[in-house]
Structure formats: C-alpha cells, structure tokens
Amino acid sequence: MKQFKQILLSMMLLCCVHHAFAQAKRAPQNPDHKKFYQLLKEANLKFSYPAGFREIPPVDNEDFSYDFAMQLPDKDFEVWLQVKSQRQNWASYENAMRDNSHKELANPDSMYVDMSKADATTLSADNNILVRNMPPEVLSKYNADAGKSYLINLPDLDVTKHYKYALLVALQKNHTGTLIAVYFTNEKDADFYRAVYRAAHCLRFASTPGK
C-alpha cells in the first residue's frame, strides 16, 4: 500500500511537471524581450532579473530611448536601462585609422561620456548636476573599464512620473558596449541607495566575449 502511494505521488508530480513545461512552451515570446536580449548579447552584458521587481514598459520617444524598465511595487523607485553595442563603431573607427584619407571619427570608447551627459542634461531641471567618475572598485564589480554617475534634480513631468530625483550611471566596456541605467526616486535616503544596490547587480559585462 505504501509503495502504491509513492508511485501514485510520483505519477502526479510528473503530470504536474509536464503540464508546467507545456504551458511554458505555449507561452508567446515577447518581441521586446527578444530585442533587449539581442542588445545584451551584442554589448556582451549578462542580465539577471532582480527579485522583487516588476517589469514596466520602457520609455521610447523623441527625448528618451530606453530598452528595458522595471519598478519596485509600492515603492517610489523605478529603473530605466539603455544598452548600446560599440563593436560596429569600433570596427569603423579602426578602418578609418587604416584609411589613407584619415577620416576623423570619435573614439568609440569615449562615446559613453557624450551619451550619458546628453541623457542627464535632457532629464535635468537645471544645470546643478553632480557628476562623478566611477571608482575602480565599482568598475571592477561590473567588469567595466570606465564610467560616470550623475545625480540629477528632475522637472515635474508626466514622462518621468513626477519623480523628484534621478541617479544616472553609465558604464563602458572598451571596444564592446555601453550601459546606461537611470534610477528614479522621490527621496535621496538610505532606502533609495539600498534599492539601487538591489537593481544595479542585475547587469555586468561578461569577462570573456560571448561568455
């Protein structure tokens, strides 16, 4: 009798597992996710969805173009992510350097500076932006070669959901890609920086291309 119950339990478990896999197989693939994960692959970034966060539609208009967004439910905290591959730009730059015409192109490894500055300026309500270079120990955690952070006072706008402040972080992996993350809050307190810590560790550059 005991053995029969064990067999029955095993059969029920197998049926549940099979049903779960069947449901997952039939689930439609979000085309936006496919695009985002392709961008991550091209920029050699690894993404692990942070626990407790909920995905929301990213902002993509003439002023802001982001690839992924998420928030902490019931918290004044939101994250926008922008991913850019620099591999094609780097290939064009190397070709230009070898070209006898010596066509001038900006070094792609420095483009993160202009990209992040432009985003920070567009977000800002004033010119009072606190800019810092990312310290080496922080860059090491994300396997990045360079980076900057911008603490921004926000204007009262619908597009940013009337948040008061934003922390923009730009990370650069030489010859590979750029990541820009914007963290929104209404309070620059310890809870905000704890939430930033939770969200920030979802992305890092892979140590080996394609790995």
Side-chain angles (χ1 to χ4, degrees), residues 12 22 30 42 46 93 102 104 121 129 134 166 178 189 201:
M12 291 174 63
N30 187 328
E42 291 171 359
K46 293 295 183 182
Y93 178 75
H102 299 292
E104 292 187 4
T121 302
I129 301 174
M134 301 297 288
T178 298
D189 55 11
H201 286 70

Side-chain angles (χ1 to χ4, degrees), residues 141-162:
K141 288 181 180 179
Y142 301 101
N143 198 31
D145 295 309
K148 287 184 176 291
S149 66
Y150 304 78
L151 191 56
I152 306 163
N153 296 322
L154 299 172
D156 188 17
L157 297 176
D158 289 340
V159 68
T160 52
K161 300 179 183 176
H162 306 282

Side-chain angles (χ1 to χ4, degrees), residues 151-202:
L151 191 56
I152 306 163
N153 296 322
L154 299 172
D156 188 17
L157 297 176
D158 289 340
V159 68
T160 52
K161 300 179 183 176
H162 306 282
Y163 281 107
K164 296 178 181 179
Y165 310 105
L167 174 65
L168 186 152
V169 175
L171 295 173
Q172 167 74 24
K173 184 69 175 176
N174 289 343
H175 306 4
T176 307
T178 298
L179 167 67
I180 294 178
V182 188
Y183 307 96
F184 295 92
T185 185
N186 287 317
E187 299 292 340
K188 293 182 289 185
D189 55 11
D191 286 341
F192 169 60
Y193 289 102
R194 278 193 288 267
V196 169
Y197 183 85
R198 288 175 60 185
H201 286 70
C202 71

Side-chain angles (χ1 to χ4, degrees), residues 14-211:
L14 285 173
C15 288
C16 290
V17 170
H18 176 76
H19 179 71
F21 274 102
Q23 291 289 340
K25 188 175 181 180
R26 287 197 294 267
Q29 186 178 30
N30 187 328
D32 294 331
H33 285 179
K34 184 176 181 180
K35 178 183 176 181
F36 178 57
Y37 279 95
Q38 182 60 36
L39 289 170
L40 293 174
K41 181 179 179 181
E42 291 171 359
N44 206 32
L45 278 160
K46 293 295 183 182
F47 177 70
S48 300
Y49 199 93
F53 281 80
R54 180 176 64 195
E55 182 183 352
I56 57 176
V59 174
D60 187 7
N61 55 37
E62 60 183 12
D63 295 319
F64 305 107
S65 180
Y66 285 80
D67 307 301
F68 192 86
M70 54 188 176
Q71 66 179 188
L72 276 174
D74 303 320
K75 301 286 186 180
D76 289 331
F77 185 78
E78 189 167 314
V79 187
W80 296 359
L81 299 176
Q82 181 185 102
V83 177
K84 298 290 184 185
S85 172
Q86 301 296 355
R87 296 187 184 188
Q88 184 58 51
N89 291 334
W90 184 258
S92 299
Y93 178 75
E94 287 185 319
N95 290 335
M97 294 294 290
R98 291 192 294 264
D99 194 338
N100 291 332
S101 65
H102 299 292
K103 180 173 61 175
E104 292 187 4
L105 289 176
N107 187 322
D109 290 341
S110 66
M111 290 177 64
Y112 81 97
V113 177
D114 289 338
M115 289 170 56
S116 58
K117 183 179 179 181
D119 280 12
T121 302
T122 304
L123 283 165
S124 177
D126 49 45
N127 293 321
N128 187 25
I129 301 174
L130 183 62
V131 186
R132 292 285 185 269
N133 290 323
M134 301 297 288
E137 59 270 22
V138 174
L139 295 175
S140 178
K141 288 181 180 179
Y142 301 101
N143 198 31
D145 295 309
K148 287 184 176 291
S149 66
Y150 304 78
L151 191 56
I152 306 163
N153 296 322
L154 299 172
D156 188 17
L157 297 176
D158 289 340
V159 68
T160 52
K161 300 179 183 176
H162 306 282
Y163 281 107
K164 296 178 181 179
Y165 310 105
L167 174 65
L168 186 152
V169 175
L171 295 173
Q172 167 74 24
K173 184 69 175 176
N174 289 343
H175 306 4
T176 307
T178 298
L179 167 67
I180 294 178
V182 188
Y183 307 96
F184 295 92
T185 185
N186 287 317
E187 299 292 340
K188 293 182 289 185
D189 55 11
D191 286 341
F192 169 60
Y193 289 102
R194 278 193 288 267
V196 169
Y197 183 85
R198 288 175 60 185
H201 286 70
C202 71
L203 279 165
R204 75 184 302 273
F205 290 100
S207 56
T208 304
K211 297 291 184 66

